[in-house]
Each structure stands twice: as C-alpha cells, then as structure tokens.
Amino acid sequence: MNDIIKIDHLCKSFGDVKAVQDLCFRVKEGELFAFLGVNGAGKSTTINIMCGQLSKDSGSVVIDDADLDKNLNHIKGTLGVVFQNSVLDSALSVYDNLQSRGALYGITGVAFKERLSELTKLLDFENLLKRTVGKLSGGQRRRIDIARALINRPKILILDEPTTGLDPQTRKTLWKVISDLRKNENMTVFLTTHYMEEAAEADYVVILDSGKISAEGTPLQLKNTYTGDFITLYGVDEATVKALGVEYEQLRDAYRLSVPNTAKATELIIKHPDIFSDYEITKGKMDDVFLNVTGKKLEGGVAK
C-alpha cells in the first residue's frame, strides 16, 4: 500500500509549550490509523496543521502526494473531518447545513441532490432533513457531522473522538458505516479515540505523550511488546494457583494468571497438565498497552 500521509520532523510550539516535537509517521492508503494520547498530547495540534488551520514551526506534511506548503487547496479537497465538537449550525436545518457545505466544494443542484440521497441512505437520516440541528439528539447530530465530512467524497476521513458520549448502538452503527466506506471506497481513516476497543481494531497505532511518539506499531506488536498474556484458570483452589509461583488475581469464579508471553503460558500449561484442564489464554488489552507506555490511563481523553 502507498503512503497517503507522510509527516516528517513536525514541530509546533505555543510560547514555552512544545505541543508537537519532531513528529514522524506514515499512514497507508485505505488503512485505519489510530492516533492516541491524553488531552494535551499533541493530537489536535497535529490534525489542525494537517487541515491547514494551524501553521507549523518546522517539518513537512505531505498528503496524497501534495505538499502542505505548496498545495493546501488540493489537501483540503482530499480530507473530510469530523471534529470532536460538532461544527454544524444549530439554527439551520440538516438540509441547509449540508447544502451550504456542498456549495463550498462546488456541489450544487442535481449533483448535490444525488450526493445527499447517497448519504441519507448510508447514514439513515432522510427523516431528519427538515429538522433543525439544534433539536437533534447526540447520535443524530453525529450522523450529520459524518455526512458533512463525506459530502466531497474525501480520500481521507479524519475522526477526532467521533463516538464520545454516544450510546453503544449508535457507536456500532457509525463503525459499520466507516467499515463499509473503507471496504467499498478504499477510504483512509485517521482516528483519535479514548475507547481502546476502537483502537484495537486499527491497522496501525501511534501513541503520543507530551508531543512525542512514545510507541507505535500494529495492535498485536504493541500488545506483545508492552503487555503479557493472561491465563484464566477455572476449577482450582487458591492454594493450587499460589503454588505455580506466578502473579495472579482472583475473579468471581476463576483465577487470572499473568505471564510474560505466550511461550511462558505454553510452558506452564505443559508442565502442569493436571491443573490446566479448564482455561483460556488472552492477550493483554490496548488499555494495558497505553498505561504501560505512558504511565497513564486514558479515560475520556484525560490522564488518570
């Protein structure tokens, strides 16, 4: 796959605060790329630079083979952005919001109506077109935010914490739409999120801390590097578990053993076949990765 986003040695400071420090990464065309970090880590600063809303101090940004310094208009036409806070006009109807957005890209008349029809089917909001945005629920507004970002058929969809505050069903619906777009249109998705289960589905993950990259890789690579494996063992007493000499915690009906890796888990099971008759092995979670990399839990984007 080709690199559709190339960031090299990107720096941005606000006075004495170094928001982004020598940032370098690549995003492949068509992939789901997760950009993680607590509030203040540099995520929004990087996105605002990519979108041309904020000037950089140094470094280079190349998107869809266009240099940010030389061809910003091309880049803006390539991107669709769903910001963390809705940018829809609350006083206008859904239809008027999308019509005005389409006009900015020269999508008017029949072309707009055709694109609107596609988006209403994709995101199921035909019954909301005449509604004032200010009267929509959070989930309904999010669907329109995404429709707004998709109006120009972008190659890259930037999602800045798109599912924050949404109910599980709405989150599931939105991710189904995003998955279909990636599959059917080879759309690249650049995601920031504090839901680690969403990051776990990414093709590649970059973790920021204080404006610098602290870790990067596929979810599996990060789990193998920054967490161990866990064996959940059933049908045994605590004395038996304690005799194994590994770290463990008691669950409601089982014990959860911590081991460095899958090889160690296999070694333990083979050595004690009489004990391991009912068990399951799982990898550590992305929450564990984030905590071990940054020393912080990611809860609502805030360090804990």
Side-chain angles (χ1 to χ4, degrees), residues 59-105:
S60 67
V61 176
V62 177
I63 297 176
D64 194 34
D65 293 327
D67 191 307
L68 181 70
D69 294 331
K70 299 175 182 177
N71 204 342
L72 178 58
N73 286 336
H74 173 82
I75 289 175
K76 285 184 175 180
T78 299
L79 301 177
V81 187
V82 178
F83 294 98
Q84 185 175 352
N85 297 315
S86 179
V87 293
L88 298 170
D89 191 325
S90 296
L92 297 180
S93 69
V94 169
Y95 183 92
D96 289 343
N97 265 278
L98 296 178
Q99 185 180 46
S100 61
R101 184 64 180 176
L104 292 176
Y105 293 98

Side-chain angles (χ1 to χ4, degrees), residues 16 19 35 40 42 61 69 79 82 86 102 117 119 133 166 174 178 200 214 235 246 263 268 276 290 300:
D16 294 333
F35 200 50
V61 176
D69 294 331
L79 301 177
V82 178
S86 179
S117 177
L119 292 172
V133 166
L166 299 185
L174 292 183
I178 292 164
S214 294
V246 299
L268 198 62
F276 291 92
F290 193 90

Side-chain angles (χ1 to χ4, degrees), residues 12-229:
K12 178 66 180 179
S13 296
F14 300 96
D16 294 333
V17 178
K18 296 180 179 180
V20 173
Q21 304 182 59
D22 198 33
L23 207 58
C24 300
F25 64 84
R26 298 287 186 271
V27 180
K28 300 289 185 184
E29 185 176 7
E31 78 176 355
L32 172 57
F33 178 93
F35 200 50
L36 308 181
V38 299
N39 289 341
K43 307 186 304 298
S44 294
T45 299
T46 303
I47 289 173
N48 286 333
I49 291 171
M50 289 166 57
C51 296
Q53 294 188 322
L54 190 64
S55 63
K56 56 186 171 61
D57 293 341
S58 59
S60 67
V61 176
V62 177
I63 297 176
D64 194 34
D65 293 327
D67 191 307
L68 181 70
D69 294 331
K70 299 175 182 177
N71 204 342
L72 178 58
N73 286 336
H74 173 82
I75 289 175
K76 285 184 175 180
T78 299
L79 301 177
V81 187
V82 178
F83 294 98
Q84 185 175 352
N85 297 315
S86 179
V87 293
L88 298 170
D89 191 325
S90 296
L92 297 180
S93 69
V94 169
Y95 183 92
D96 289 343
N97 265 278
L98 296 178
Q99 185 180 46
S100 61
R101 184 64 180 176
L104 292 176
Y105 293 98
I107 306 170
T108 60
V110 174
F112 169 71
K113 290 182 178 179
E114 289 177 350
R115 183 57 177 156
L116 181 64
S117 177
E118 293 171 353
L119 292 172
T120 55
K121 291 175 184 175
L122 182 69
L123 290 155
D124 188 25
F125 64 88
E126 189 170 5
N127 62 327
L128 301 177
L129 287 173
K130 296 180 180 180
R131 293 271 296 276
T132 302
V133 166
K135 296 181 180 179
L136 300 180
S137 69
Q140 291 170 336
R141 183 184 288 248
R142 216 47 170 161
R143 278 187 276 162
I144 310 308
D145 280 322
I146 292 176
R148 175 188 179 278
L150 294 174
I151 198 83
N152 60 316
R153 301 181 189 277
K155 289 185 178 181
I156 302 166
L157 182 62
I158 297 177
L159 301 172
D160 192 3
E161 299 191 14
T163 58
T164 299
L166 299 185
D167 63 90
Q169 183 57 48
T170 303
R171 285 174 61 196
K172 183 178 179 181
T173 299
L174 292 183
W175 274 111
K176 173 66 166 60
V177 169
I178 292 164
S179 176
D180 288 346
L181 287 168
R182 290 184 60 219
K183 181 172 66 175
N184 298 329
E185 300 183 18
N186 197 35
M187 180 178 288
T188 304
V189 177
F190 188 104
L191 170 73
T192 79
T193 181
H194 63 259
Y195 293 115
M196 289 296 102
E197 66 268 30
E198 294 178 349
E201 298 300 317
D203 297 298
Y204 199 80
V205 177
V206 163
I207 298 177
L208 285 189
D209 193 18
S210 301
K212 298 178 180 179
I213 293 178
S214 294
E216 62 180 302
T218 67
L220 179 60
Q221 288 170 340
L222 291 173
K223 289 176 185 179
N224 283 339
T225 302
Y226 295 101
T227 72
D229 284 16

